[in-house]
Amino acid sequence: MKKILIVIYNMHIGGAQKSLLSFLQSLAADGRQDQYDVHVLALNPEGEFLSQIPAGIHVDKPANVLRWMGGKLKAGLALHHFSLRGVIGELRWLMDRWLRGKKQPQNDAQRLWQVWGPVVPQCKEHYDVAISYIDGTTSYYVMDKVAADKKVLWLHSDYRKQEYDPAFDDPYYQACDIIVTVSAECRESIRQALPQHGEKMHVLENISSFQAVEAASREGSCPEYRDAQGLKLLSVGRLHEQKGMDIAVEAAKHLKESGTRFCWLVVGEGSERRRLEEMIEAYGLTDCFRLIGARQNPYIYMRECDILVQPSRIEGKSIALDETKMLLKPIVATRYPTVGDAITHGVTGWVTDMNGEALSQGIVQVAQDEELRMRLVAALEQLPKGNEEELQKYIELMF
């Protein structure tokens, strides 16, 4: 029986995490988890999806130093997960930030690993296959610290937009066996930066189950929409600059100024919350734009909304859009580089320029043009519902 390690940074609600969870759930639903000894290692073992990993999949505890790496130093961390290596790594990291500040134009994950890598111990186990399910720190960990016969590195985003230094990454991609991306656009982005490894690059679509999404969408209701007046708008994603929720707030400001009545909910959590809350307060949007936090089941919100709004600056292959299309909801999205992998403008969705005014105009266009909405929904009805058959491709390529 093959022993397989899958490494991810955490299991908070996010695209890569949802992709991994869908893969593991499909593996279990198909009865194949018993054919493999699968271990999941979250370097920071937190997140709403952690408890949803199927029984029979081993969830390994990380070394304490891994909990320290890249996290905020808290009293509870030092007390319950004390690590001398963690203390050393934290001191190295503070010194690095003091000496170099923000001047070095290097991706944060690369700098993090340069500093912390030397204090992270080797993994004691040997695996047949080791998979980094997200790019960055977990990739460096798998390549430098895990012994395995085969190594697979995933990329869920546009490599060009992540400010990675290709010279830093080159030896890692040289040493791995397989590079997996989630769309043709993502593959092209890394191929342009590292063309010498093009033969290793493959595309595996995120696994989506129509039956699971449809069933989950009917498992409750949305009290936040109960007294909504006007349009019911929804955005799903981390509160991070890449996801463009500030663009959404700007769009909401334009909508309100134009007299449009709406209730806009944002499902997701992240480091931008305080800044977004300040924008919402400053623009007088507290009555119509709400950050409701992460939800284990966002599908009930997708089912009840009128329009799903995707204000992203950067995406890989958006799972939220794929799942929204299954529920036949109109989509308005910004023109981020890989949006064409998800929707076709005017056919399966509406694409706008990447600013608040344009996004608000797109929302109004779709909301007011009933013929357009019907055309978009009719096109969505013709799309394939789910892609559980992708599981076999995952197994053949990675395992």
Side-chain angles (χ1 to χ4, degrees), residues 68-139:
W68 286 59
M69 182 175 64
K72 293 182 178 179
L73 187 59
K74 300 176 182 177
L77 180 67
L79 179 63
H80 300 294
H81 303 288
F82 178 78
S83 167
L84 181 57
R85 289 176 180 267
V87 173
I88 294 171
E90 188 67 28
L91 291 173
R92 286 170 56 91
W93 181 243
L94 291 172
M95 182 64 70
D96 177 81
R97 289 172 64 86
W98 180 70
L99 290 175
R100 296 198 293 182
K102 297 289 185 181
K103 295 180 180 180
Q104 183 150 329
Q106 187 179 20
N107 177 274
D108 285 345
Q110 292 177 331
R111 285 188 63 179
L112 187 73
W113 190 248
Q114 279 184 316
V115 174
W116 280 86
V119 303
V120 172
Q122 292 290 133
C123 181
K124 296 179 181 179
E125 301 291 328
H126 181 277
Y127 299 89
D128 294 291
V129 183
I131 302 166
S132 169
Y133 210 85
I134 193 169
D135 51 285
T137 308
T138 60
S139 292

Side-chain angles (χ1 to χ4, degrees), residues 54-75:
I57 304 293
H58 304 285
V59 179
D60 295 348
K61 292 183 179 180
N64 283 347
V65 62
L66 295 175
R67 298 173 184 260
W68 286 59
M69 182 175 64
K72 293 182 178 179
L73 187 59
K74 300 176 182 177

Side-chain angles (χ1 to χ4, degrees), residues 179 187 190-192 194-202:
I179 301 168
R187 178 175 60 185
I190 189 172
R191 191 197 299 274
Q192 289 181 8
L194 295 161
Q196 63 273 34
H197 307 308
E199 74 285 351
K200 297 182 181 181
M201 299 175 187
H202 302 265

Side-chain angles (χ1 to χ4, degrees), residues 231 233-235 251 264 306-312 321 324 329-336 339 343 345 348-353 355-356 358-367 372-373 376:
L231 281 174
L233 305 177
L234 176 68
S235 295
W264 194 330
D306 296 315
I307 299 173
L308 188 288
V309 184
Q310 182 92 340
S312 299
L321 290 191
T324 301
K329 293 296 181 175
I331 295 167
V332 178
T334 49
R335 191 173 286 107
Y336 56 86
V339 69
I343 59 176
H345 175 61
T348 55
W350 197 259
V351 181
T352 77
D353 288 341
N355 62 74
L359 187 61
S360 69
Q361 291 171 352
I363 293 168
V364 170
Q365 174 78 21
V366 173
L372 171 60
R373 290 199 312 279
L376 295 177

Side-chain angles (χ1 to χ4, degrees), residues 97-263:
R97 289 172 64 86
W98 180 70
L99 290 175
R100 296 198 293 182
K102 297 289 185 181
K103 295 180 180 180
Q104 183 150 329
Q106 187 179 20
N107 177 274
D108 285 345
Q110 292 177 331
R111 285 188 63 179
L112 187 73
W113 190 248
Q114 279 184 316
V115 174
W116 280 86
V119 303
V120 172
Q122 292 290 133
C123 181
K124 296 179 181 179
E125 301 291 328
H126 181 277
Y127 299 89
D128 294 291
V129 183
I131 302 166
S132 169
Y133 210 85
I134 193 169
D135 51 285
T137 308
T138 60
S139 292
Y140 309 137
Y141 175 78
V142 164
M143 297 309 300
D144 285 346
K145 304 297 181 178
V146 178
D149 298 328
K150 179 180 180 180
K151 296 187 177 183
V152 181
L153 304 183
W154 276 72
L155 178 70
H156 284 265
S157 58
D158 187 329
Y159 186 88
R160 296 164 298 190
K161 300 294 184 180
Q162 298 295 326
E163 297 184 348
Y164 283 117
D165 176 5
F168 183 95
D169 281 344
D170 179 61
Y172 290 98
Y173 288 115
Q174 175 66 36
C176 78
D177 298 284
I178 300 289
I179 301 168
V180 179
T181 67
V182 293
S183 72
E185 286 284 348
C186 288
R187 178 175 60 185
E188 185 58 26
S189 73
I190 189 172
R191 191 197 299 274
Q192 289 181 8
L194 295 161
Q196 63 273 34
H197 307 308
E199 74 285 351
K200 297 182 181 181
M201 299 175 187
H202 302 265
V203 175
L204 289 176
E205 294 184 2
N206 296 314
I207 296 175
S208 297
S209 168
F210 170 69
Q211 290 76 14
V213 170
E214 171 67 14
S217 74
R218 300 187 181 281
E219 289 179 353
S221 61
C222 310
E224 296 89 349
Y225 277 144
R226 187 170 297 144
D227 299 320
Q229 298 181 351
L231 281 174
K232 291 185 285 188
L233 305 177
L234 176 68
S235 295
V236 179
R238 291 178 294 116
L239 307 185
H240 187 281
E241 183 184 9
Q242 293 179 358
K243 299 300 182 180
M245 295 306 174
D246 57 315
I247 300 175
V249 178
E250 294 285 352
K253 175 176 178 286
H254 286 285
L255 287 177
K256 189 166 187 178
E257 289 174 348
S258 71
T260 303
R261 302 177 73 183
F262 63 94
C263 173

